Amino acid sequence: MAAITLKGLKKSYGQAHVIKGVDIDIEDGEFVVFVGPSGCGKSTLLRMIAGLEDISDGTLTIGGKVMNDLPPKDRGVAMVFQSYAIFPHMTVRENVAFGLTISGASKEEKETKVAEAARILQMEHLMDRRPSQLSGGQRQRVAIGRAIVRKPQVFLFDEPLSNLDAALRMDMRMEIGKLHKALGATMVYVTHDQVEAMTLADKIVVLKDGLVQQIGSPMELYHHPANAFVAGFLGSPGMNFLEVDVKEVNGDRATVSNAALDPVTLTARHPGIKAGGKARLGLRPQYLSPDADAGAGVLHGKIALTERLGSETIVEAVTTDGKPLIVALARDAVFEIGTPISLRFDPETAHLFAL
Amino acid sequence: MATISADSRGLRLAVRYTVLGIIAIIFVFPLVFMLVSSLKPDAQLLADTASLRAFLPVGDISFDNYTAAFKRAPVGLFIMNSVIVTGITVVLSLLVCSMAAFAFVFVNWKGRELVLTIILATLIVPFETIAIPLLLISSKLPWIGLDGLKWGWLNSYHVQIVPFMADGLTIYLFVQYFKDLPGELIEAARVEGATWGQIYRRIVMPLAGPVLATAAILKFLAMYNQYLWPLMVVQEEGYRPVMVGLQYFFQLNRAWGEIMAYLSLITIPVLAFYLYLQKAFIASIASTGVKG
Ligand SMILES: Nc1ncnc2c1ncn2[C@@H]1O[C@H](COP(=O)(O)OP(=O)(O)OP(=O)(O)O)[C@@H](O)[C@H]1O
Ligand SMILES: [Mg+2]
């Protein structure tokens, strides 16, 4: 059993507070993804779990045991680094077997376990090569092979795919997903790629400036973001934000409008919305449509640019008050640049945040 | 982008080889002079220095100087002493200094910056300033050898070895090299369960080839050329190294031919060692310098 709990975890480098009190519960066998912008502390948090960074404050437990002061080797974790960190002076076989060699495993044990890892990762033909003779994707496989061979309870990944090209990244993403199902181990995965986060995670942790913004399943975060940061971070293309005037508030219903937006009443799920004040309206590009029956919300503007991708059309519009607005249509469509357009949305898909 | 014609490329190559050739000749000539002179009797040797003949094995050529040198001093013993002292010191210093540097670079402990600074500060202390205190200390230290406990280290191999096992320069070389190793390699090994000892042995040392060669050559030369210290601490011929042995040839009448023969003989271990490490040494220069 390898549940992981982070309780009030903090990390400072001198006066720089990098992790400012993080609480996360990770269940045994769960696939958890840490996302957030560059420099928000994802790697630091992962390295604190691995034991590569000291914990300034708070408690870390793995499998119910407090790990704060244990060295990495006693934590039962494996880690895959962004740079792969495979040992250049060893063959692939020696690399994969490294953990077993270190722990003094017998020759037969090493052979069977390494062979199994090689089979799972389909790299039997590479075993006698040196790292310098491998492609990026193959190196990544070696790094993963080295991690899985010891059958650890916990896997830590720090942006393992960010050095790969787009096509390979998709393949490896799927393989990591399969690996998780096959091994059933707890996996903590750091990325700033929200597609990786959405597709791989059982649970996503959104971080910003060393603080947790929201924890939840990908769909929870997508449909019910706790704040504008989370809403803007997940989803592609990113959410549109418009500043609106709040005309009226009635319980959890609010009526808003602005120069480009006809008055519309929607559910205000977030606190801080006051009648007569301003608020921020979040609209996902996918929920905006030029179709007349698309919903009760209406925005006016004109077409600035279109990108036709075949199955999808990305339209960049400009509202009548000059704000950019991205619309993603799930079909091929032709628009003439400069033509006025009315975009509609279902008010229930809109998010209203305090400014 | 400017295109370089085959012609100008050929010209540049020619210039480069000419320059390198001249530099090589400048470095080789003293060696040639030494070897050639060691084969000539003193009178001819001195007469030849006025002309290019100084570099040519012409005239009265023989190995008489070598025979005479061996008669005048126990040359073999001196070379053996130097090789023993230098060899053991080089091996120990590579071990001790690489371990120290490992602790400074990879292990996180309180005060490591300060200790490293102090060690690096010793680089500016000339040996001459600490020679006398060092002599006083080593003359009083105990040593347990084959013949039991003995006080005072004078007249021994270890008095020539121990004070030079660790030095700031060698530690600095290792520290700089280790800092350039990708830290994630060490971290990966730690997560995989390796102890510090295992990381040192299995990851860091196998990757340290170039710096080991550099440090070994620098240490070898420094130790092989030791003069002042062995002069102070070794009075018995049995432990005397080659540079101190040179004195034998500067008595009453200077025997230049014999000096050249002696120098030729004591250069052999240096050349052998250098040739042995040359490949690694050049690799290390290439990896520390700017690559094209
Ligand atoms: N040794 C250090 N000393 C001081 N500050 C540090 C140190 N290491 C990291 N930081 C700071 O901690 C913050 C978090 O760094 P971290 O590497 O965890 O970011 P990240 O979320 O992984 O970013 P990225 O997506 O770019 O990898 C950064 O602002 C960084 O500058
Ligand atoms: Mg990072």
Side-chain angles (χ1 to χ4, degrees), chain B residues 23-44:
Chain B
I23 293 174
I25 287 170
I26 291 172
F27 276 93
V28 163
F29 261 30
L31 281 176
V32 172
F33 174 74
M34 178 183 80
L35 277 172
V36 167
S37 303
S38 73
L39 302 170
K40 297 174 182 173
D42 276 9
Q44 194 202 330

Side-chain angles (χ1 to χ4, degrees), chain B residues 54-78:
Chain B
F55 300 106
L56 299 173
V58 289
D60 190 3
I61 296 297
S62 74
F63 282 100
D64 289 352
N65 286 329
Y66 287 86
T67 329
F70 273 101
K71 269 200 201 115
R72 193 192 283 256
V75 179
L77 176 68
F78 293 165

